[in-house]
Every structure is written in structure tokens, then in C-alpha cells.
Amino acid sequence: MQIEIPTSPWKPAAERQRDRDAKRDAVLRTAARLFVENGFHRTKMADVAEHLHITKPALYHYFRNKEDILYACYMLGSEMIESLLAEVELNNSTGLDRAVAFLKAYTLNMTTDFGMCLVTVDDRDLAPDSRRKVRTWKRSIDSRLRSCIAEGISDGSVRPVDPRIAAFLLAGSVNWVGQWFRESGPSSAKDIADAMADMARQALTARG
């Protein structure tokens, strides 16, 4: 006699992990949007849960507290930038081209919820260890942009400038995009990134 084994009501482990990852991502995207729109301190865990149509205790399956969510948002935003910059460094030849592509990719990231979160939410709201990691990463981004500009000066594609001051000026302009950009605004993310790249090229290009 063959015994009929009932179908398991549980999903396979890999599928459960995909579901968990998707839910965690939804928490981060919702929280990042709320942090940007309402501010970190005015956003409560209950607000995130309400927007996701889940209970507040359900959030604690994914994150310990609001600061934990903020740090994860910072890390995801930085990972997105790192991915874009890796492509920039592979596909551009001169220092000028790398610097301009760097700033264009960075601008595009600043128009996303995670990019805006990087510049609109004060990293002093993070725990000391998390804050050190975030600030170390920010310094590395600044260093990479300076290197692109310095390489451009060496290869003749960038006019003689102080790489440190030029990097501060250009990156500061891009960071400000994260403060004022809105999807409902008159310019698309691509239009803004193209304009920033064009102005950066004009500012840096060696003359003659």
C-alpha cells in the first residue's frame, strides 16, 4: 500500500530567503523615503509599519531598532554608489572622463531614496561604530574623486587645479542635489545628471 504524503505548507529554504530579502528591502525603501520626507527623528517605527501594512512587532524580525534601519540605508546607498563607480573606473580612459563619469553616476544616485538619505539624514544619529564606518566610506569617495582629478592633471586632460578644492566643490554640488531633487520636479534625474556632468567637464577641461 502506497502512503500519500501531503504537500508541505512550508516553502523551500531558498524561496523563504528570497521572500525575507524582498521584505527587508521593502522596509529599507519605505524607511528611507520617510526619513527623507519627514526627518529621521520625526519618523517612528510605527510609521514605517503603517506604510507597509504590517504590525510594528513584525519590523523587529528584520531590524532591531530605527538606528539599525538607518545604518542599513546608508550601507545600501553606499553599495549602489560603489557599483556605479566600479563601472566608471573600468570604462573611461582619461582622468577627465573618469571624473565626469564619476560625478554623473554620483548625481544619479543622489536622486534615489537611498542617495538622498545619505545626505539629508545626519550621520550623528548613528551609533559611534556605525558612524565611523560611514565617515570612513565618505572619505574614500572623496579620495577617489581627487585621484581622478589628479590623474587628469597628469595626463593633460584636466587643467591645473587643486584636486582637493575641486573635489570638495564638485562633490558638494552633487550632494546638494540630494537635498532638493523631487521626482515631481521640472527636471528628470537623467537631465540633472547630464547637466552636472556637462558643467563639471567645462570646469575641469584643460584649455588649448
Side-chain angles (χ1 to χ4, degrees):
M1 176 180 177
Q2 186 175 7
I3 299 174
E4 184 177 344
I5 300 175
T7 302
S8 173
W10 285 274
K11 296 179 180 179
E15 190 174 346
R16 290 200 304 273
Q17 185 60 49
R18 284 195 298 272
D19 286 348
R20 179 179 175 79
D21 291 344
K23 291 173 182 176
R24 184 180 186 276
D25 184 66
V27 171
L28 289 177
R29 290 184 182 280
T30 300
R33 176 64 61 91
L34 291 173
F35 291 160
V36 169
E37 291 182 352
N38 303 329
F40 177 72
H41 293 290
R42 287 193 294 272
T43 300
K44 309 300 182 187
M45 291 288 275
D47 299 327
V48 179
E50 181 181 352
H51 278 76
L52 289 167
H53 308 295
I54 61 176
T55 63
K56 182 178 173 181
L59 286 177
Y60 294 100
H61 289 292
Y62 306 98
F63 298 98
R64 295 169 296 177
N65 50 45
K66 192 170 67 168
E67 187 270 329
D68 198 24
I69 294 177
L70 177 59
Y71 179 66
C73 287
Y74 268 112
M75 288 298 96
L76 190 51
S78 66
E79 287 168 11
M80 292 167 64
I81 292 175
E82 288 291 344
S83 177
L84 291 169
L85 296 187
E87 185 175 341
V88 163
E89 290 166 352
L90 282 175
N91 297 324
N92 293 277
S93 55
T94 67
L96 175 65
D97 287 340
R98 282 194 292 278
V100 171
F102 181 116
L103 289 160
K104 183 175 181 177
Y106 197 18
T107 302
L108 283 171
N109 185 269
M110 285 299 108
T111 64
T112 69
D113 290 331
F114 293 115
M116 287 188 278
C117 195
L118 281 170
V119 294
T120 60
V121 182
D122 195 333
D123 62 21
R124 286 176 294 185
D125 290 315
L126 294 168
D129 185 55
S130 298
R131 183 166 61 247
R132 281 193 296 272
K133 291 176 182 177
V134 167
R135 290 183 177 179
T136 297
W137 174 80
K138 287 180 177 179
R139 286 193 295 270
S140 77
I141 292 295
D142 175 69
S143 177
R144 287 163 73 176
L145 178 55
R146 290 190 206 184
S147 294
C148 290
I149 295 170
E151 288 166 12
I153 295 170
S154 296
D155 67 29
S157 60
V158 171
R159 65 189 182 89
V161 295
D162 183 322
R164 176 175 172 273
I165 295 174
F168 279 148
L169 174 66
L170 294 168
S173 299
V174 172
N175 284 335
W176 196 246
V177 171
Q179 298 277 356
W180 55 257
F181 174 77
R182 294 295 178 268
E183 290 180 355
S184 59
S187 300
S188 70
K190 182 180 182 303
D191 290 340
I192 293 168
D194 286 343
M196 295 294 284
D198 181 62
M199 286 186 278
R201 186 174 290 279
Q202 291 186 49
L204 293 173
T205 298
R207 308 303 177 194

